[in-house]
Amino acid sequence: MGGTLQATLLYLVLYLVLLHICRCSNIAVSQDEEWKTATATYSKETDGSIITEGACGYGDLHKISYGKHSAGLSGILFNKGSTCGACYELRCVDHILWCLQGSPSVTLTATDFCPPNYGLSKDYGGWCNFPKEHFEMSEAAFAEIARRKADIVPVQYRRVKCERSGGLRFMMSGSSHFYQVLITNVGSDGEILAVKVKGSRTGWIPMARNWGQNWQSNVNLKGQPLSFEVTISSGRTLTSYNVAPANWQFGQTFEGKQF
């Protein structure tokens, strides 16, 4: 009798564990599949990218592999630069004339800020006015979901995981009294929440966001091998030890681990 009761309790515990796992999986799937509504336009650029210097501070988008699949975000999405590096899946919807057949989607990286124009109506030129949710795309990326003749199209979007090749990249800049690092090629969330740096003669030093994905410290770190601790928006933290050697120089880029 005792053995039968123990077996029943064991099966009950296993059932409850499996039920919890299934519920968590269903929640995750439903979150991944949640689409929101917005609008999209494109900027005509000869090289296929939106800009080479944007509000996220990435510089040449082709050199850091974001290229044509980049986007400028309206203020409510840009969130003062905290969403730089995040990835969004977009598809054109509800416009039989402009949307491509089958509503194909494209994945974009947030690389710039689309400024408001309060001198124009939000429906006629003021597309990035608060609180509009809007994406300014490259012409090449726009053509993957809609016809180029369109000036503005309705879209659905959702946050997706960023798929990156290689590790996080750390580009050094600054001076002897001001140290800054630009962090690119961030996988998973793409969106950085916090950064710490450690030299061979220091403990872990929290860095402050300067602008976009440029992070700064006023500590003199020259002549020390550097390690970085990066935390993304989901709370995951990744530590890359001794990424830069002791003889690192401003203007150099080093590669760390990947999420």
Side-chain angles (χ1 to χ4, degrees), residues 44-66:
K44 293 183 178 180
E45 295 289 340
T46 56
D47 64 356
S49 65
I50 301 175
I51 48 170
T52 55
E53 292 289 342
C56 291
Y58 289 132
D60 190 323
L61 298 177
H62 293 285
K63 287 184 179 179
I64 62 169
S65 75
Y66 295 158

Side-chain angles (χ1 to χ4, degrees), residues 17 153 198 218 238:
V17 169
V153 294
K198 181 182 183 302
N218 294 326
L238 179 69

Side-chain angles (χ1 to χ4, degrees), residues 47-50 61-62 65-72 85-88 105-111 136-145 164:
D47 64 356
S49 65
I50 301 175
L61 298 177
H62 293 285
S65 75
Y66 295 158
K68 68 178 184 179
H69 292 108
S70 306
C87 293
Y88 294 86
S105 67
V106 63
T107 299
L108 307 171
T109 299
T111 59
E136 185 181 34
M137 306 167 63
S138 71
E139 183 177 2
F142 186 87
E144 294 183 28
I145 63 170
R164 306 297 188 203

